[in-house]
Amino acid sequence: MFGTILISICTLMHIYVFWRVTSVPLVSRHVPLNFLIATGALLWAIFFIGRVYGHRGTGALATISEFLGMIWMGTLLLLFISLLAADIITLFGFLLPSIAPLIRTWALVAGVVLSIIALAQGLRSPVVQSYEVRLSDLPRAMDKTVLVAMSDLHLGSLIGKRWLAARAAQVRELRPDLVVFLGDLFEGHGQLQDELLSVLRGISAPLGVWAVTGNHEFHGGSRSMRLFDETGIQLLRNRWVELRPEFILAGVDDLTAQYRAGRGGDFMLPALSGRPPGATILLSHTPWQADKAARAGAGLMLCGHTHGGQIWPFSYLVRRTYPLLAGRYEVDGMPVIVTRGTGTWGPRMRLWYFTKLSYQSRERLMSIPDSQ
């Protein structure tokens, strides 16, 4: 259903963008209409094949088709927004008719420039974002503990071994005491390369490597869950573990997957109930129910899922569903840190939000590098 809706929306945007491009004087004077129609049909086919074949297929051809299709989808969105803004300003040419074509020309240029910026930001290496979090119940022996958190790597056909190996090197440079993955570690479709799993096995920390599920792990079903076992990453599914005396790590299954399955209610309490006293860090892929986590006594909540909106101005729409969009928040006295994602979903593009890698905590100070 999601794929059908996505293809339908992109098709409508496609029609609109090429309709407005034909009214740009520079294009209409120098580019034959038949060539524009053929170009539009080719780009739509690239998107469609990338979404249908590339998204589900394996091998180099599937990877290339998905990459090109998703890049065009991101570019199409930015062209659509730029041209629509020009039409709104000029009331589709009824207002300021003498300069409306010029405004539309600059809108087209703006869309292309924004797409190039977004692609450059999406392909660049994540940077480390550090936070200091004071946990009043943190044992003195755990003071200055370093926790590295990463979310939304979306490992699969578009994000491969070289990229992951570079992230693993970044993690090692931080010399973490604890490493956590906040969901969507795997894209959930296609055949995951064994070499990716070997890189994941090379990530280690004295207090272990832990993870919670994201919505894409549920897309991949039992196969995605088995991949955690193959990598040695320990999965927290609605449970807690005492890593050291008075230092507890808890995790919940992805909340969006729970709701889509028709299961409502408080998912924080079961994951936190029955634990011993001490400092508790809660991992949740989706930044929901933070108030319930705070009431249940969690000292810190780490989340992902939102990608910070990934491509502006899509972030404004995402914030309506996820008010805790990106960065650090305080909910009933509990710090909540939402990473923008180590990797990207769909197009390898980001606009205005840079990718980051880190988190920290103190009061005993605990350092939390998060991949955003």
Side-chain angles (χ1 to χ4, degrees):
M1 179 62 71
F2 174 77
T4 301
I5 293 173
L6 180 65
I7 291 172
S8 300
I9 291 174
C10 287
T11 299
L12 292 175
M13 288 196 301
H14 207 96
I15 294 170
Y16 171 80
V17 164
F18 276 86
W19 169 57
R20 298 320 277 160
V21 165
T22 59
S23 67
V24 171
L26 185 64
V27 176
S28 61
R29 291 172 189 163
H30 299 92
V31 182
L33 180 59
N34 289 340
F35 181 81
L36 275 178
I37 294 173
T39 301
L42 176 62
L43 288 172
W44 184 88
I46 288 173
F47 161 71
F48 183 80
I49 292 171
R51 175 62 197 178
V52 176
Y53 168 70
H55 188 67
R56 294 295 177 186
T58 57
L61 184 59
T63 298
I64 293 171
S65 64
E66 184 176 15
F67 178 80
L68 293 177
M70 291 300 99
I71 292 300
W72 172 241
M73 183 180 76
T75 302
L76 180 67
L77 172 65
L78 293 172
L79 290 173
F80 172 80
I81 291 170
S82 299
L83 289 168
L84 182 61
D87 274 340
I88 291 173
I89 291 171
T90 63
L91 295 180
F92 288 84
F94 290 104
L95 183 65
L96 306 172
S98 61
I99 63 170
L102 180 62
I103 293 175
R104 204 171 297 129
T105 299
W106 282 109
L108 179 62
V109 172
V112 172
V113 171
L114 289 175
S115 299
I116 294 171
I117 294 172
L119 182 59
Q121 289 191 172
L123 294 176
R124 68 190 291 274
S125 298
V127 297
V128 173
Q129 176 69 52
S130 296
Y131 299 90
E132 292 185 359
V133 179
R134 296 182 178 273
L135 299 176
S136 58
D137 297 327
L138 188 69
R140 290 192 178 277
M142 302 298 295
D143 189 21
K144 298 183 180 179
T145 295
V146 176
L147 184 158
V148 173
M150 293 178 283
S151 182
D152 300 276
L153 276 73
H154 291 277
L155 299 177
S157 58
L158 295 186
I159 298 182
K161 179 184 178 182
R162 179 181 296 182
W163 183 90
L164 180 60
R167 305 294 73 75
Q170 283 183 288
V171 171
R172 285 192 293 272
E173 289 175 2
L174 296 169
R175 303 178 66 183
D177 299 294
L178 173 64
V179 175
V180 299
F181 291 100
L182 302 173
D184 282 2
L185 176 57
F186 307 113
E187 177 63 12
H189 68 80
Q191 183 65 39
L192 199 67
Q193 303 170 2
D194 290 337
E195 56 189 14
L196 285 174
L197 300 181
S198 66
V199 176
L200 287 173
R201 294 187 195 104
I203 298 176
S204 63
L207 296 177
V209 181
W210 301 82
V212 289
T213 58
N215 52 297
H216 279 259
E217 271 79 42
F218 283 92
H219 294 169
S222 59
R223 176 180 171 276
S224 290
M225 302 303 176
R226 289 195 302 271
L227 291 174
F228 286 102
D229 294 332
E230 294 180 29
T231 59
I233 297 172
Q234 302 173 83
L235 198 56
L236 290 170
R237 302 196 65 183
N238 304 315
R239 66 184 182 96
W240 56 264
V241 61
E242 191 173 24
L243 299 178
R244 291 286 188 273
E246 300 181 35
F247 183 57
I248 298 100
L249 186 68
V252 295
D253 278 347
D254 175 54
L255 300 181
T256 59
Q258 303 276 19
Y259 279 101
R260 287 167 185 163
R263 294 189 290 270
D266 183 350
F267 297 103
M268 299 302 176
L269 188 58
L272 295 168
S273 62
R275 72 188 191 283
T280 300
I281 298 174
L282 175 68
L283 312 180
S284 173
H285 179 62
T286 302
W288 283 344
Q289 299 194 359
D291 55 336
K292 295 180 179 179
R295 287 197 296 270
L300 171 66
M301 183 173 174
L302 304 179
C303 310
H305 184 61
T306 67
H307 291 263
Q310 189 163 319
I311 298 178
W312 178 91
F314 197 61
S315 52
Y316 296 116
L317 180 61
V318 175
R319 192 184 291 276
R320 296 180 64 86
T321 303
Y322 305 101
L324 306 183
L325 182 68
R328 178 170 178 161
Y329 303 87
E330 294 284 331
V331 177
D332 295 339
M334 177 189 70
V336 181
I337 298 174
V338 184
T339 133
R340 297 183 182 100
T342 311
T344 53
W345 175 86
R348 296 293 305 279
M349 302 170 76
R350 287 179 183 266
L351 192 58
W352 306 145
Y353 280 113
F354 289 90
T355 56
K356 302 178 182 176
L357 178 74
S358 160
Y359 297 117
Q360 297 195 35
S361 96
R362 194 178 218 162
E363 151 119 321
R364 325 288 153 58
L365 171 64
M366 190 172 155
S367 190
I368 311 163
D370 103 85
S371 298
Q372 300 189 348

